[in-house]
Amino acid sequence: MPLRHRLVRLLAIPALAAAVLPLPTAPATAAVRGSVAPVTTLLPREASAGWLARQLVDGDHFEKVVDGTVRPDQDLTVDAVLAFAAAATADEAGARATAWLARPDILADYLGDGTTEAYAGPTAKLLLLAQVRGLDPTDFGGVDLVARLLSLLGTNGRFADRSPSGDRSDIAGQSFALIALSRTAAGVPQKARSFLSASQCPTGGYPVAFGPTTCTGDPDATALGIQGYNAGNPAGSSGHAMGWLVNQQRPDGGFVSPGATDPNAVTTGRAAHTLFTVGSSGGYRAHKWLEPRQLRCAAAPERRGAVPYDSAGFDRTTALRATVQATLAFSPSLKGFARLSAAGAKPESPVLSC
């Protein structure tokens, strides 16, 4: 499956994003509005978060190209805000991006109108973002994200999209729903956790989509599935899935996407993030694979802090998602999405000290 299609699946983007193509050029990154004086850092997580913040268009969002038209990329923007919180820095950028996401037009484009269209994965991710930012998730841009998400829960336990174009809900969306609901007073509906568990392949991994003809584990989906299953579930165990994920790790610490031969930073970063949450040494091995691949002082100044997707070299479009996931892996004290918080994060977006 091509990279952009895997990313659409794994990040639970609405059906409209199925035709995403890479943006041809990077935005101007000088003079981000409202930014504080730049500071320098030697920490990989701060350097990667700082680079991400400087890539935001107009200082508050990302964009994508769909069928030749530039459109807002809410999903990548959400991911960046979560990465800023994990790095405990770039909080001003996180606040601006959150305010952009709460705009009614941006919300409706991402979540649907709530009646004829409503998307489970994006709703779950925005609910998590509101919680991480310490906001009221029952009134995010005028939308009750908790009620909206629960309205998409079927009797079988699946969080499904409501849309004329069909249901694209998947393991990633189900996992983020469990994570976000574990942070609410009511907790996770047991049938939703059971549905996720029943979607696991016999070998232990999770597939990208629900109900494939042949169940094939996917490292990215499995990493998210483990966090989803464990969220608010102290009595449960994801040992079978963890064993499968650990067995996918290469001797050098990297992780490979299905169909590829070389490790990449998206899959390795996502796996590392989950491995850290369960105290697995594999998280540190993955961290050691990622860190030397971060572009540092030998790179052009505008690229310093970024993490290329793979050994093919720097490409901004794929580096954005790779750097998001690497930032999570560069923050080993993080206890997973279920406990992530932006409280106490530094306001600035650091520049790598050279």
Side-chain angles (χ1 to χ4, degrees):
M1 183 181 294
L3 168 63
R4 69 174 183 269
H5 293 159
R6 279 178 45 78
L7 292 173
V8 166
R9 265 295 192 183
L10 287 167
L11 296 172
I13 300 175
L16 183 58
V20 173
L21 296 174
L23 282 173
T25 58
T29 56
V32 174
R33 71 175 186 274
S35 61
V36 296
V39 299
T40 58
T41 183
L42 293 174
L43 294 176
R45 60 180 171 83
E46 292 188 344
S48 59
W51 180 81
L52 278 173
R54 288 186 291 279
Q55 305 311 301
L56 291 166
V57 178
D58 295 334
D60 60 11
H61 70 283
F62 288 111
E63 293 178 340
K64 61 192 177 190
V65 177
V66 181
D67 295 334
T69 302
V70 176
R71 293 183 54 81
D73 192 339
Q74 294 94 327
D75 207 74
L76 182 57
T77 304
V78 171
D79 288 341
V81 174
L82 298 178
F84 298 152
T89 195
D91 195 58
E92 279 199 347
R96 291 194 301 269
T98 300
W100 177 81
L101 287 161
R103 283 171 39 183
D105 58 325
I106 300 300
L107 269 179
D109 180 58
Y110 186 44
L111 303 182
D113 58 16
T115 53
T116 58
E117 287 187 297
Y119 300 105
T123 304
K125 290 185 73 171
L126 262 190
L127 172 55
L128 175 62
L129 176 143
Q131 295 164 330
V132 168
R133 296 290 307 171
L135 304 174
D136 180 2
T138 66
D139 186 14
F140 187 84
V143 176
D144 185 337
L145 295 172
V146 178
R148 176 77 65 88
L149 182 58
L150 290 174
S151 75
L152 299 175
L153 178 60
T155 56
N156 62 351
R158 176 176 177 171
F159 288 94
D161 297 338
R162 183 168 61 243
S163 170
S165 59
D167 180 11
R168 295 176 57 86
S169 60
D170 56 15
I171 295 292
Q174 186 83 7
S175 300
F176 276 115
L178 269 61
I179 292 166
L181 290 174
S182 76
R183 301 175 60 131
T184 65
V188 176
Q190 183 55 44
K191 63 181 180 180
R193 197 189 311 278
S194 296
F195 185 86
L196 177 64
S197 180
S199 303
Q200 194 173 8
C201 298
T203 55
Y206 284 95
V208 171
F210 292 120
T213 302
T214 301
C215 194
T216 303
D218 179 276
D220 295 270
T222 301
L224 289 172
I226 290 169
Q227 288 207 46
Y229 184 81
N230 286 348
N233 188 32
S237 172
S238 58
H240 192 30
M242 274 301 308
W244 184 90
L245 185 62
V246 168
N247 285 337
Q248 306 309 304
Q249 191 167 29
R250 294 291 182 92
D252 62 2
F255 284 81
V256 179
S257 299
T261 56
D262 297 322
N264 67 78
V266 170
T267 303
T268 301
R270 184 175 282 120
H273 180 214
T274 290
L275 291 169
F276 279 130
T277 70
V278 297
S280 170
S281 62
Y284 293 96
R285 291 172 54 210
H287 183 285
K288 289 181 180 179
W289 185 90
L290 283 163
E291 188 169 340
R293 287 163 173 78
Q294 184 177 39
L295 300 182
R296 301 185 73 80
C297 294
E302 67 272 14
R303 296 180 179 180
R304 292 172 185 168
V307 178
Y309 175 76
D310 59 16
S311 59
F314 179 84
D315 174 83
R316 179 180 173 273
T317 302
T318 56
L320 289 172
R321 296 195 184 279
T323 304
V324 163
Q325 299 304 327
T327 301
L328 296 174
F330 290 156
S331 307
S333 62
L334 179 65
K335 300 301 182 182
F337 288 126
R339 296 173 60 184
L340 179 60
S341 173
K346 300 175 184 177
E348 62 266 11
S349 301
V351 176
L352 184 66
S353 178
C354 291

